[in-house]
Amino acid sequence: MATGRVIFHVDCDYFFAQAEELRNPSLKGKPVVVCVYSGRTPDSGAVGTANYPARKLGIHSGMPIAFAKKKATPGTVFLPVDLPHYSAVSGKIVRVFQEFAAKVEKTSIDEAFLDVSQETNGDFSAARELALKLKHGIKGKTGITVSVGVGPNKLVAKIASGHQKPDGLTIVQPEKVRDFLSALDVEKIPGIGGKTSAKLREMNVNTVKDLASVPVAVLVENFGRARGAFMHNASLGIDESEVTSERERKQLSIIRTLKQDAKNPAEMEGFLKEISEKLFERVKAEGVFFRTVSIIAIDSRLGHFTRSKTLESPANSFEAIHSTARALFESFFSEKKGVVLRRGGVGVANLGEPKNQKSLSDFA
DNA sequence: CCCTCGATCAC
DNA sequence: CCTCATATCGAGGG
């Protein structure tokens, strides 16, 4: 698995909670739970991130806040998310990344890939030294600890960064890739989640080694062309994808929980205007045109539904978002008689600069 | 090729 | 009792 490349994947440890500990050191040692409150009831919402003491109590990301509160001990601290603050910390960390690598791909607020092939001359011993310097640099300049995975490609680096946490460093040399992967559960492969692994389990495939022994044709048959090919390559540790600094955004969306369930369009009028305005602000900030407007509806039984409409020509106005979304919700409500809406969202896609935008009229 | 929608992943 | 945001795929219809 010699690719000539050396890739880092850096994952900030329990990021939101760690950022909170950083600005309020008295939190350290206590269970800290950072919450995404939905505003419906005082405790409705989900856990964003929990620090390690909280995890020891069985509190994890995605868990309902009310559930987390049942598990909490008296000293447990619950805090609301403060994304602007975490973004500022994240920005500082990215600036450290840029001191270490020319190619940096930020994939989320707390994760990034670094291509350090040049900086290390393709040498994994040099990579170890560089990774340690990077960890120290980030800790010194921002106070944040991170876990780093080092490998010959993004796939291996990403799996490696999750191997030892927190404050971890896992290096997988090219010739060790197969050994490193083979014993792992298939769910360690990014892109293989609960549904896919359950299906694989039924096929008696549990580890990456098992997966590697399945003929690619069988995977394609069961999971589709792209997915099957991806799974096959991943099982062998193969991933040619590049670290790309500039990825253009392809869609923007926003989804919120209603204060009260809506049974018809009228009951969500104010809500829809609000989220349309919020989305419009982001469209303005990005300076993009869009051609598709979509809505997402989540009913009281948590079923997910999407509807979308592609416009004749590119738009960038609040009106285009609001009126199209309203029409989509109206037809959704009349199509699905008796639906009770719990959450709703709006999105735009088919983005582009006005001059680059393809419109249907171009083909007429 | 394009559009729509559900599904999946993972944040 | 269940947040929020994005990318990607595949199927079905055109």
Side-chain angles (χ1 to χ4, degrees):
Chain A
M1 186 46 51
T3 63
R5 295 191 294 157
V6 182
I7 310 296
F8 287 1
H9 183 256
V10 186
D11 193 339
C12 297
D13 301 320
Y14 60 102
F15 184 54
F16 294 176
Q18 196 184 173
E20 294 292 349
E21 289 178 359
L22 207 55
R23 66 171 164 185
N24 181 0
S26 75
L27 294 173
K28 267 194 222 167
K30 296 180 193 167
V32 175
V33 185
V34 179
C35 301
V36 183
Y37 290 101
S38 69
R40 157 169 292 234
T41 68
D43 275 352
S44 66
V47 172
T49 311
N51 69 357
Y52 280 80
R55 289 180 200 189
K56 247 173 51 185
L57 301 173
I59 298 171
H60 293 284
S61 303
M63 174 181 285
I65 294 164
F67 196 24
K69 290 209 167 169
K70 284 186 199 158
K71 299 196 167 253
T73 52
T76 304
V77 180
F78 289 84
L79 299 170
V81 281
D82 180 357
L83 281 177
H85 178 63
Y86 314 143
S87 290
V89 176
S90 178
K92 284 213 271 189
I93 295 170
V94 169
R95 285 192 281 283
V96 180
F97 290 160
Q98 286 162 343
E99 293 173 21
F100 284 80
K103 277 199 252 180
V104 176
E105 177 179 348
K106 185 174 174 175
T107 54
S108 77
I109 196 167
D110 67 345
E111 287 183 23
F113 288 104
L114 280 64
D115 186 329
V116 292
S117 307
Q118 304 285 313
E119 290 79 0
T120 59
N121 227 332
D123 182 309
F124 274 70
S125 306
R128 173 182 295 278
E129 299 311 310
L130 192 69
L132 286 170
K133 271 194 205 164
L134 174 67
K135 283 166 63 75
H136 293 147
I138 293 168
K139 175 79 173 149
K141 291 189 175 164
T142 72
I144 292 285
T145 67
V146 301
S147 294
V148 178
V150 182
N153 58 45
K154 288 165 75 171
L155 172 81
V156 174
K158 165 100 176 159
I159 296 172
S161 70
H163 200 66
Q164 208 221 314
K165 295 194 297 190
D167 201 13
L169 173 58
T170 301
I171 297 169
V172 183
Q173 295 170 302
E175 59 273 20
K176 301 280 181 57
V177 166
R178 295 296 298 274
D179 282 342
F180 171 70
L181 293 179
S182 57
L184 299 179
D185 190 284
V186 289
E187 264 188 87
K188 298 286 183 191
I189 294 173
I192 298 185
K195 300 283 185 180
T196 307
S197 63
K199 222 167 137 182
L200 285 169
R201 214 167 12 252
E202 306 236 314
M203 300 163 63
N204 263 312
V205 174
N206 297 294
T207 65
V208 176
K209 187 197 184 82
D210 298 336
L211 184 60
S213 74
V214 180
V216 62
V218 174
L219 294 175
V220 168
E221 190 183 306
N222 282 273
F223 300 98
R225 194 178 59 80
R227 201 168 183 69
F230 164 78
M231 287 164 67
H232 175 70
N233 284 330
S235 74
L236 302 175
I238 295 169
D239 172 25
E240 307 279 2
S241 63
E242 294 284 325
V243 175
T244 43
S245 334
E246 300 287 329
R247 291 221 326 275
E248 62 180 307
R249 190 186 297 288
K250 298 192 167 132
Q251 56 175 269
L252 291 166
S253 66
I254 181 168
I255 176 169
R256 289 286 120 96
T257 303
L258 283 99
K259 289 268 188 293
Q260 289 181 309
D261 291 347
K263 295 191 183 62
N264 56 57
E267 288 177 359
M268 65 176 300
E269 218 177 81
F271 171 85
L272 180 59
K273 181 141 185 274
E274 277 173 38
I275 59 175
S276 299
E277 274 163 359
K278 282 199 169 135
L279 181 62
F280 176 60
E281 288 309 311
R282 296 190 53 200
V283 166
K284 253 198 309 190
E286 300 269 343
V288 290
F289 278 62
F290 53 84
R291 215 155 62 77
T292 302
V293 177
S294 62
I295 62 160
I296 179 161
I298 296 171
D299 69 15
S300 53
R301 296 179 323 203
L302 300 182
H304 290 50
F305 308 90
T306 59
R307 294 291 183 271
S308 65
K309 180 171 175 58
T310 299
L311 309 171
E312 293 289 333
S313 52
N316 70 341
S317 67
F318 166 75
E319 258 308 300
I321 296 172
H322 186 226
S323 63
T324 308
R326 190 172 46 204
L328 287 167
F329 271 115
E330 275 166 10
S331 64
F332 176 72
F333 272 110
S334 44
E335 173 198 338
K336 282 196 127 15
K337 299 290 181 210
V339 69
V340 176
L341 199 72
R342 178 190 175 90
R343 312 180 63 213
V346 292
V348 291
N350 250 312
L351 305 183
E353 301 296 311
K355 63 184 169 79
N356 298 335
Q357 266 285 353
K358 289 195 232 0
S359 72
L360 288 179
S361 54
D362 291 344
F363 299 104

